[in-house]
Amino acid sequence: MLYTFSQADYDQQTLEIYLRNANATDAIVLWQDGVLLAIKQADVLARCQAPCFVLENDLLARNLTALLPENAKVRSISLADFVAISEQYSPQIAL
């Protein structure tokens, strides 16, 4: 399953439930304002078993590249990478 997060703020319990239930066969993509989660919720994302990605264009648009921790589990991807990921994972849920 592909989980996409587009908002900067989610209920903490709800976010943790989604990320805890995601496993190695799933993927997480942070985009739009959701890229802020890579910084605000880095500890929660670090515990997630699914690969986590952040859309590079959205990181750059918000000038957050330098704030992303070096050891972050979240990997920056291009829009073309995002399209490939969306083709690879099914079903998809947008949050």
Side-chain angles (χ1 to χ4, degrees), residues 30-39 54-55 58-59 62 64:
L30 308 176
W31 69 309
Q32 296 179 346
D33 285 341
V35 299
L36 292 165
L37 295 174
I39 296 158
V54 62
L55 201 58
D58 290 330
L59 263 183
R62 288 156 184 82
L64 297 175

Side-chain angles (χ1 to χ4, degrees), residues 9-26:
D9 294 305
Y10 291 91
D11 174 70
Q12 188 68 30
Q13 266 189 321
T14 304
L15 180 64
E16 288 183 14
I17 288 170
Y18 278 114
L19 295 178
R20 185 175 43 240
N21 288 330
N23 60 45
T25 62
D26 299 324

